[in-house]
Amino acid sequence: MLCGSCNGLILLAMIFNFKLKRINHAIWNPFTRRYKKIPICPVQTLPGYCSYVNIGLGYDSAHDDYKIIMISLVVESNYVSYPVWLFSLKSSSWRRSQDFLLGLKNGAREKAGRFANGALYWDGSDGIVGFDIANEVIFKIQKSSGSLVILGGNLYIPVPRAEDKDVDFYFYASDKGREIASGSWRKGFTVEEEVQSRYNVFRPWPLAYSKDGDSILLLNKENGLVWYNFENKTRQWVEIPGMPKVMLEVPTYNHVNLESLVSVGNDSAFDGAAEEVILDD
């Protein structure tokens, strides 16, 4: 099960003891074919542990470290708590950070957090909740759209217009030198109704930006993918042989992962799925 992605690394989960509700995790780099098994989080061994509510993988630029953030549900003596635990890839260890006090009403739409601008984000039914990884600060954004989109390292949300079917995309950003929690929404671009109809777009949720930033990658109902240039209003079809149909059925939950050479640690293992990649020094 996919639990998140960041800078080419993918966080995976697999239940290995259903009765005890314990879950194994691993960080995998699909390009180098290396993976690292993550030790069980101590919270999963507590008597009152019920399940983890949300999880995610992000990058702590202040300490040059990749971290897993796990928010769990623990019930002890009729007291309910949501402890936050952090796993450091650099130290290969877990530690408790704090209790999650804001809450995600009825849980988040996705257990897997989306990483952007130094924070992980989850979209709950009562708003978007963020976790600043470097400063270990939980914050809430008073806006929710039912979908989180990551483009160019920024968090976007779609806002449909009431008068037509155009969709405006706003991105969340903070001013230089200010903490992420003090950010605000700013308008980025618009996917017009005409574009959605002409290119038979499944949903106007972009998957990625082009390198020069003038095009977005959209899902087409029949042919799969299409690049749309919103400056000169042109398109370019993308053909990927063997692309699974599930991408077209549940586009809201797609994670776009770019290849990278980021290491998952000296104690990593080869996944054995193909010949091992040998990299020159």
Side-chain angles (χ1 to χ4, degrees):
M1 180 175 67
L2 176 67
C3 291
S5 62
C6 176
N7 296 345
L9 300 182
I10 296 177
L11 177 61
L12 300 171
M14 180 180 68
I15 298 176
F16 79 97
N17 191 318
F18 186 81
K19 185 176 181 180
L20 295 179
K21 301 177 183 177
R22 292 182 182 175
I23 298 177
N24 259 343
H25 291 91
I27 296 178
W28 177 47
N29 185 324
F31 179 65
T32 63
R33 316 299 306 196
R34 309 294 297 187
Y35 71 94
K36 176 184 175 64
K37 290 183 179 179
I38 307 301
I40 290 294
C41 180
V43 71
Q44 295 190 58
T45 64
L46 297 177
Y49 171 76
C50 295
S51 66
Y52 71 77
V53 180
N54 298 99
I55 195 169
L57 173 67
Y59 178 63
D60 180 352
S61 59
H63 303 94
D64 188 25
D65 192 8
Y66 287 86
K67 294 180 178 179
I68 298 173
I69 312 300
M70 180 186 289
I71 305 169
S72 300
L73 169 63
V74 177
V75 180
E76 296 179 286
S77 301
N78 296 323
Y79 176 75
V80 177
S81 62
Y82 295 87
V84 178
W85 284 77
L86 284 76
F87 176 82
S88 163
L89 185 60
K90 182 178 289 186
S91 66
S92 191
S93 62
W94 288 95
R95 67 176 177 84
R96 184 168 179 169
S97 173
Q98 56 181 295
D99 279 2
F100 196 81
L101 302 177
L102 290 177
L104 284 166
K105 185 179 179 181
N106 299 324
R109 292 182 172 87
E110 282 188 87
K111 283 185 177 292
R114 299 298 182 110
F115 177 76
N117 292 331
L120 279 166
Y121 299 91
W122 294 272
D123 189 15
S125 58
D126 59 343
I128 300 171
V129 175
F131 185 88
D132 182 337
I133 296 177
N135 298 306
E136 299 186 23
V137 173
I138 300 170
F139 59 97
K140 189 172 182 179
I141 309 172
Q142 298 295 332
K143 198 166 192 176
S144 179
S145 66
S147 182
L148 303 183
V149 179
I150 305 299
L151 292 173
N154 291 311
L155 172 69
Y156 282 79
I157 60 169
V159 180
R161 295 182 184 176
E163 64 275 14
D164 52 37
K165 293 184 179 180
D166 289 1
V167 180
D168 296 321
F169 282 81
Y170 289 79
F171 66 96
Y172 183 78
S174 57
D175 295 330
K176 187 176 181 179
R178 300 187 65 185
E179 293 185 353
I180 303 171
S182 63
S184 60
W185 292 105
R186 305 168 190 183
K187 186 176 179 180
F189 59 90
T190 300
V191 179
E192 296 87 356
E193 178 184 3
E194 179 185 0
V195 173
Q196 300 174 47
S197 176
R198 181 188 302 174
Y199 303 130
N200 202 17
V201 173
F202 190 98
R203 291 182 184 177
W205 295 186
L207 293 176
Y209 260 138
S210 60
K211 288 184 178 180
D212 50 15
D214 62 358
S215 300
I216 52 177
L217 187 64
L218 297 169
L219 279 169
N220 171 266
K221 291 180 182 179
E222 299 173 358
N223 300 322
L225 301 171
V226 57
W227 281 110
Y228 170 67
N229 187 305
F230 46 73
E231 292 187 357
N232 57 32
K233 311 297 182 183
T234 60
R235 55 93 177 140
Q236 180 180 355
W237 296 109
V238 179
E239 293 186 9
I240 303 179
M243 186 178 75
K245 187 178 179 181
V246 69
M247 285 190 67
L248 305 179
E249 296 172 348
V250 285
T252 303
Y253 303 117
N254 290 331
H255 287 252
V256 175
N257 196 54
L258 303 178
E259 65 181 25
S260 76
L261 299 178
V262 176
S263 172
V264 293
N266 295 328
D267 56 345
S268 65
F270 176 55
D271 62 18
E275 293 185 4
E276 185 165 4
V277 177
I278 300 177
L279 303 174
D280 296 330
D281 294 332

